[in-house]
Structure formats: C-alpha cells, structure tokens
Amino acid sequence: MYLTMFLSSVGFSIVIMSVWPYLQKIDPTADASFLGWIIASYSIGQMVASPLFGLWSNYRPRREPLVVSIAISVAANCLYAYVHVPHSHNKYYMLTARALMGFGAGNVAVVRSYIAGATSLTERTSAMANTSACQAVGFILGPVFQTCFTLIGEEGVTWKFLCLQLNMYTTPVLFGALLGVINIILIFAIFREHRVDDMGQQYNSINSDGEGSDVLDQNTEGNIDHVAVVALNILFFVILFVFAVFETIATPLTMDMYSWTRKEAVFYNGIILSVIGIESVIVFMVVKTLSKKTGERAILHAGLLTVLVGFFILLPWGKKLPNIEWQEIKNNSIPRTAPSEMLAPFWSLPELQLPSNHTAEPVGCPITQSWCLNTPMIYLAQYISSDVLIGLGYPVCNVMSYTLYSKVLGPKPQGVYMGWLTASGSGARILGPVFVSQVYTHLGPRWAFSLICGVVVVSLLLLEIVYKRLIAFSVRYGRMQEENCLESTSKE
C-alpha cells in the first residue's frame, strides 16, 4: 500500500514541472489558462474515481480496484507519450491523458481506507504519517526524475517504427508506466488483507477473492459525527487547494519573474521542489513523535498558520519590475525599475517585432499580461523562503487531517468516506489550478496570493469552531479513554 501511494504520487509529480513547456511545444495555440485545465483534468479524473473505487473496496477484495486503477494509469502514461503525434488538437489529447491518469489515481481512497482499517488508534498516526511520507517521497522523486530526464533534451531520440520520441517530456511518463506494471505484479504476489478494530483486535480474514465486505461487531455501533466529517472535508479541501496553487504556479511564475527558459524552469524548479520534498519527509517523521505530546488538532492548527505565513511572504513587496518578454529578446535582459522606462522604447521601436522564422525562445514576463507593467517582481529569496514554509506546513496539515478523519469515522469500513475526502482534495486540485491560472494571468501575483491568504484565514476560523468535535469515534462513545489515542500518548 505504501508503494501504491508512492507510485500514484510519482505519476502526478513526474511531469508537473514540464507540462507547461511541453504544452507550448506540441500546441502553440495553448495559453496559460488552458494549462490550468490540463493540471485540473488530473484531479477531475481522481474526483470521479475516488468514491467509486472506495465503494468497490467496501464490498470486494481491495486487490480488484487497485489493479484496475493502476492499469488505467499505465495506459494513460502511454497516451501522454504520444500526444505529439497528431497534427492538430494536441492539447486536447494531453488533457485526456492527464484526466485518465487522475482516474487511475482514485486508488488513493482504497489505500487510505485499508490502512485505517488495518491499524489501531494508537498505530494510526504513525501509519498515516508513513503513508503521507511515501506520498511525499513520490513528489520528491517525481521532479528528480524529471530533472534527470532534462539531460535527454527537447529533441531526444526518435523511434520511427513506434512513432515515439524519447525526450525530456515523454521519457518520464514511460518510466512511470514501467513502475505501474511492477506495482501490479507486486499486488498479485504480495498483498494480503487483514483488519483490526480501534483497540487492535483482529477481525475475520477477508483475504480470499470470493469474500466481500468486512465482518463487523458491536464495536462499530454508533453514529458518526457528520459535522466533524464535513469540517474535515472542508479543511482538507483548503489544504489541497493552496498546495495545488503552489504547484501550478511554480513554473509560470519563475519564467515570468526570473526570465528562465522552459528548460531552466523545469530544471531549477525540479531541484527546489525536490529539496522541499526532502524537508516534507523529515516533517512526517517528526510529526509522529510530536503528535504524542501535543495531539493532532494542535499540530493541524500550527500547520495552517505556517502555510499562511508562506503565502504572505510570497506577496510582491519590492519596487523592481520584472523583465518584459519582448525587451528580453531585443535588449538582452536590460533590467527595468519603472513602467515609464519601458513604455517609451515600446512605442518608438517597431522593429522589435521578430520575424516569423526566428528561433530564439522568448523569456521574461509576457506583455500580454498587463500586470507585468506595474507589479513588482517577487525576488528569488522570497520564492525560496515561501517554498520552505509551505513545504513545512503542507505535510503537517495533510497527515493530521487524514489521521483525524480516520479516527472520527471509527472502525466501520471507510472506503466511501475516504473516497469523499479524496474527492474533496481532487476538487481542490481542480479549482486551484483554474483559479490561479485565471487570476494570475489577468490580475497578477498580488491578487492571487492575497486571496489565498484570505482562504487560509477562514479555514483557521473553521478549525477553531469544530476543534472540540475532532475526537476519535471510540472516545466519543466511551469505549476508549482519550489518553489512549489523541493527546494522551504524551503521558507515555
């Protein structure tokens, strides 16, 4: 299950830094707004699939939805490698490939529900942290793989008999397809199911393919606190929303602010996000110990505050304006400090219009984005500091929300509920890229990141309102003392 979570994460992140330059390469008609739909299509597929796979796993052996979902991901990766072949509408083929990849990633709900049912309350935080750590490692190694594959270059090698180009854009997804095949083999060879209640007592085995739903006992009696469930879904939505914004905007933002080429943006962001991913894994390991002293709720609160500070730092504060795309081509990256210095040469130098057969890649902030003329640039130190803080706060919020959610649900089969939680996160991944691509393109980073800060503040208020309701199912019904699960392990 850890491996399946890892591979699902790799499938998303291995191309996230290269989607934009690849999209520009295969279909020049695609703009930054369409990039938002490309990124969101993955989450649309996952949002649709998660409740379906979760329901499937409640009534059938989990091996079935796992194998089917991974096979879909493998096929989607292969399709992505061929989106350059058609002579037109290439961007829509990429959209379809990413949507199918997301549909295959609906198995995250199956993985989480299995882990929730296979652990006791005292084991749950550690297991969820390990699961999220595997997911984070996938996010780390995905950009690392992408960064390594940039050495192949944009042209790479062409296998004409397969109509396949092996380059920095297609090789990563083919590697992801290979990992998916290995995952399917291991699920058949190794995976066996078992289930325990909140105290760790074993339920009847459901290993055989002919058996269906889990066997329940009197410990599952009681009503789930749906107010807490809804609140955690909203909080998880916000957490994934802000992280999706962070992921989506990295490449366009750095290309606009620092005049990086497509290849440079993929390479440098891959390195930055890989380092942040390593930070996240360390955070997951620390969280397992820290939660025993402070409890999951307090750590979730601290994580949201850290994310808020991270986006606040990312607001444009200085006076220097970013280099304009056409000026970069003509004047070889002459820095600007005021709009007036740019407007005069813009109107007096009509020869800046490049011939249609030019080969130089334009860099800098596109003149079509009007905010480039009056919005200060975000300095590299700001960007990296924000990365560090978001890389600290996001993993904390992620693992704590999953842990609290599974404990609130209790010992009942959690496939459908985990499906809805995953779907809420997927919905955030849909709206996040669309939101940031539209607001960033038309209004600029100041509006985009200010609105994100407002969303996080509202989520902190919600957490305060429902704070006392976020307790384990067994504690709520008096079957266990609170010191045995949430905050009390500090007494150990």
Side-chain angles (χ1 to χ4, degrees):
M1 292 297 93
Y2 289 159
L3 178 64
T4 301
M5 182 66 77
F6 165 78
L7 293 178
S8 175
S9 180
V10 169
F12 177 81
S13 65
I14 200 169
V15 297
I16 194 66
M17 291 296 103
S18 65
V19 167
W20 176 232
Y22 189 35
L23 181 62
Q24 290 178 310
K25 179 179 174 66
I26 65 170
D27 196 334
T29 65
D31 56 15
S33 296
F34 196 82
L35 170 66
W37 289 107
I38 291 284
I39 303 297
S41 64
Y42 181 96
S43 300
I44 292 174
Q46 190 178 48
M47 184 176 68
V48 172
S50 295
L52 298 178
F53 286 134
L55 182 63
W56 189 351
S57 70
N58 273 2
Y59 295 97
R60 295 289 301 168
R62 291 183 175 91
R63 183 184 289 115
E64 295 177 7
L66 287 173
V67 169
V68 169
S69 61
I70 297 169
I72 292 172
S73 296
V74 170
N77 277 309
C78 294
L79 174 61
Y80 187 92
Y82 279 94
V83 295
H84 64 278
V85 174
H87 298 294
S88 62
H89 302 100
N90 303 74
K91 62 183 181 182
Y92 297 108
Y93 290 104
M94 181 184 284
L95 186 73
T96 302
R98 291 297 292 173
L100 287 174
M101 223 175 285
F103 193 90
N107 58 25
V108 169
V110 182
V111 173
R112 294 283 187 180
S113 66
Y114 173 75
I115 291 173
T119 56
S120 65
L121 282 184
T122 54
E123 299 169 328
R124 191 75 48 80
T125 301
S126 178
M128 287 294 180
N130 291 339
T131 307
S132 296
C134 290
Q135 191 174 31
V137 171
F139 281 117
I140 296 170
L141 294 184
V144 169
F145 293 147
Q146 176 68 81
T147 302
C148 294
F149 289 130
T150 57
L151 300 176
I152 300 175
E154 285 194 312
E155 299 304 321
V157 179
T158 301
W159 290 353
K160 293 184 179 180
F161 67 99
L162 292 176
C163 297
L164 178 63
Q165 289 183 3
L166 290 178
N167 55 32
M168 60 183 280
Y169 304 122
T170 61
T171 308
V173 292
L174 293 174
F175 180 70
L178 174 63
L179 294 178
V181 172
I182 294 173
N183 193 193
I184 291 174
I185 294 172
L186 291 176
I187 286 176
F188 277 114
I190 295 176
F191 179 64
R192 300 293 182 270
E193 294 190 46
H194 78 282
R195 185 165 177 265
V196 299
D197 61 16
D198 282 351
M199 278 70 76
Q201 298 174 346
Q202 186 80 28
Y203 281 102
N204 290 345
S205 175
I206 56 172
N207 290 344
S208 101
D209 290 346
E211 295 180 1
S213 60
D214 296 343
V215 181
L216 307 179
D217 66 8
Q218 66 274 12
N219 288 329
T220 67
E221 293 178 0
N223 296 321
I224 295 172
D225 186 348
H226 286 95
V227 173
V229 168
V230 171
L232 284 169
N233 271 276
I234 294 173
L235 290 172
F236 191 68
F237 176 91
V238 171
I239 292 163
L240 269 291
F241 180 86
V242 298
F243 191 69
V245 167
F246 170 71
E247 284 181 320
T248 304
I249 204 60
T251 300
L253 179 68
T254 52
M255 290 175 70
D256 290 346
M257 294 293 159
Y258 315 124
S259 300
W260 289 351
T261 63
R262 293 193 297 262
K263 188 172 181 178
E264 287 172 340
V266 172
F267 182 79
Y268 294 139
N269 278 303
I271 293 175
I272 292 172
L273 292 183
S274 298
V275 173
I276 300 308
I278 295 172
E279 174 197 14
S280 298
V281 173
I282 296 172
V283 170
F284 287 129
M285 298 301 102
V286 172
V287 158
K288 293 195 293 184
T289 302
L290 190 61
S291 65
K292 296 178 181 180
K293 299 180 180 180
T294 62
E296 288 89 357
R297 295 176 295 183
I299 296 178
L300 176 59
H301 193 278
L304 284 170
L305 282 173
T306 305
V307 170
L308 175 62
V309 174
F311 275 99
F312 185 76
I313 288 176
L314 202 55
L315 292 170
W317 296 105
K319 295 182 179 180
K320 182 180 179 180
L321 300 176
N323 296 321
I324 296 298
E325 185 175 275
W326 60 263
Q327 189 183 35
E328 284 288 291
I329 298 172
K330 178 66 181 178
N331 298 335
N332 194 24
S333 304
I334 299 175
R336 290 187 310 123
T337 55
S340 58
E341 297 177 33
M342 183 279 304
L343 289 175
F346 174 72
W347 291 111
S348 62
L349 294 175
E351 67 271 15
L352 288 180
Q353 185 68 34
L354 291 176
S356 59
N357 61 350
H358 79 279
T359 57
E361 177 185 341
V363 294
C365 202
I367 194 72
T368 54
Q369 295 177 166
S370 59
W371 58 264
C372 293
L373 308 179
N374 50 42
T375 300
M377 73 177 293
I378 297 169
Y379 293 99
L380 187 60
Q382 284 180 265
Y383 177 67
I384 294 177
S385 299
S386 176
D387 283 359
V388 171
L389 288 171
I390 294 171
L392 174 65
Y394 169 73
V396 168
C397 295
N398 182 285
V399 68
M400 289 301 106
S401 55
Y402 265 121
T403 302
L404 287 168
Y405 192 71
S406 67
K407 289 185 175 183
V408 167
L409 293 177
K412 297 180 180 181
Q414 298 184 5
V416 174
Y417 280 101
M418 282 294 178
W420 287 119
L421 186 68
T422 305
S424 70
S426 300
R429 286 189 181 276
I430 295 168
L431 296 180
V434 173
F435 162 84
V436 74
S437 62
Q438 296 293 332
V439 175
Y440 176 82
T441 300
H442 297 102
L443 300 177
R446 178 170 286 157
W447 271 96
F449 301 140
S450 295
L451 290 172
I452 290 297
C453 288
V455 169
V456 178
V457 169
V458 171
S459 70
L460 282 166
L461 294 176
L462 174 62
L463 178 59
E464 289 296 327
I465 293 171
V466 300
Y467 194 87
K468 294 183 179 180
R469 305 186 74 128
L470 303 181
I471 58 175
F473 182 92
S474 296
V475 172
R476 184 167 177 248
Y477 287 99
R479 298 184 185 125
M480 291 184 68
Q481 296 299 315
E482 189 165 5
E483 61 266 18
N484 293 327
C485 51
L486 281 176
E487 284 95 351
S488 62
T489 42
S490 61
K491 295 183 178 180
E492 298 175 2

